[in-house]
Amino acid sequence: MAEQGVAQVWRRIRSIYNIQGNKCETCETYYFPPRPVCPTCRRKGKLEMYQFKGLGAIYSYAIVRQAPDDFKRQIPYVIAQVELDEGTRLTAQIVNVDPENVEIGMRVRSCFRKIKEFGPGGVIVYGYKFEPTMKVTGHEE
Ligand code: ZN
């Protein structure tokens, strides 16, 4: 029972790491995270696994200036809704850019970063984050 739980967690982590979702072949809609049933087509839907390319644009964002202890070292940081080129949105941290230079519509690509480490020498969880596809040059001061 416990082992089954661990396997499920790892399956979930793998799906997040790879930005794996699915695509309904019937209505050509992409989903992330993967859905068990297409909400539009229901039983007529034909869902296939789909590996997202990890390219998209910032749809909306917020600069986080207060965070729980685990994330304090990173503040301020940017959490954005990224609209993937396939047309679905997901929430992710935006890295490798000064928060002040983040803009709606900015092109981003997924990159993998360590998100959390559990204890010294413990389990490290990796996940997707996004970074600008072009180098962003800040304003001169
Ligand atoms: Zn569908």
Side-chain angles (χ1 to χ4, degrees):
M1 192 63 187
E3 263 177 44
Q4 204 173 23
V6 169
Q8 270 170 11
V9 167
W10 279 106
R11 228 184 345 264
R12 211 177 94 88
I13 289 170
R14 254 201 311 276
S15 131
I16 291 169
Y17 184 92
N18 293 321
I19 317 190
Q20 244 171 39
N22 51 19
K23 180 192 178 188
C24 175
E25 299 289 342
T26 310
C27 65
E28 306 225 310
T29 307
Y30 296 88
Y31 297 103
F32 182 84
R35 303 284 178 93
V37 179
C38 175
T40 308
C41 308
R42 309 258 172 189
R43 264 180 303 169
K44 280 184 281 180
K46 190 171 176 294
L47 291 169
E48 301 285 350
M49 287 299 289
Y50 181 79
Q51 172 79 52
F52 284 95
K53 291 177 185 68
L55 288 169
I58 292 179
Y59 178 79
S60 69
Y61 70 95
I63 299 175
V64 177
R65 297 180 192 281
Q66 297 192 335
D69 286 346
D70 289 350
F71 291 91
K72 269 208 173 106
R73 269 183 310 167
Q74 301 180 48
I75 50 175
Y77 61 89
V78 177
I79 292 292
Q81 266 212 303
V82 173
E83 185 160 282
L84 297 173
D85 287 349
E86 289 89 347
T88 189
R89 288 178 205 150
L90 53 79
T91 303
Q93 188 177 343
I94 307 298
V95 295
N96 296 336
V97 59
D98 187 330
E100 309 302 327
N101 290 328
V102 171
E103 295 177 344
I104 286 171
M106 177 181 265
R107 294 288 299 165
V108 290
R109 67 170 163 238
S110 63
C111 56
F112 301 105
R113 290 285 185 276
K114 187 172 77 172
I115 287 190
K116 199 172 172 183
E117 198 169 331
F118 295 95
V123 177
I124 298 169
V125 177
Y126 291 85
Y128 59 79
K129 293 189 181 184
F130 282 73
E131 63 183 1
T133 56
M134 312 255 282
K135 179 146 180 56
V136 181
T137 45
H139 301 285
E140 297 229 3
E141 301 202 325

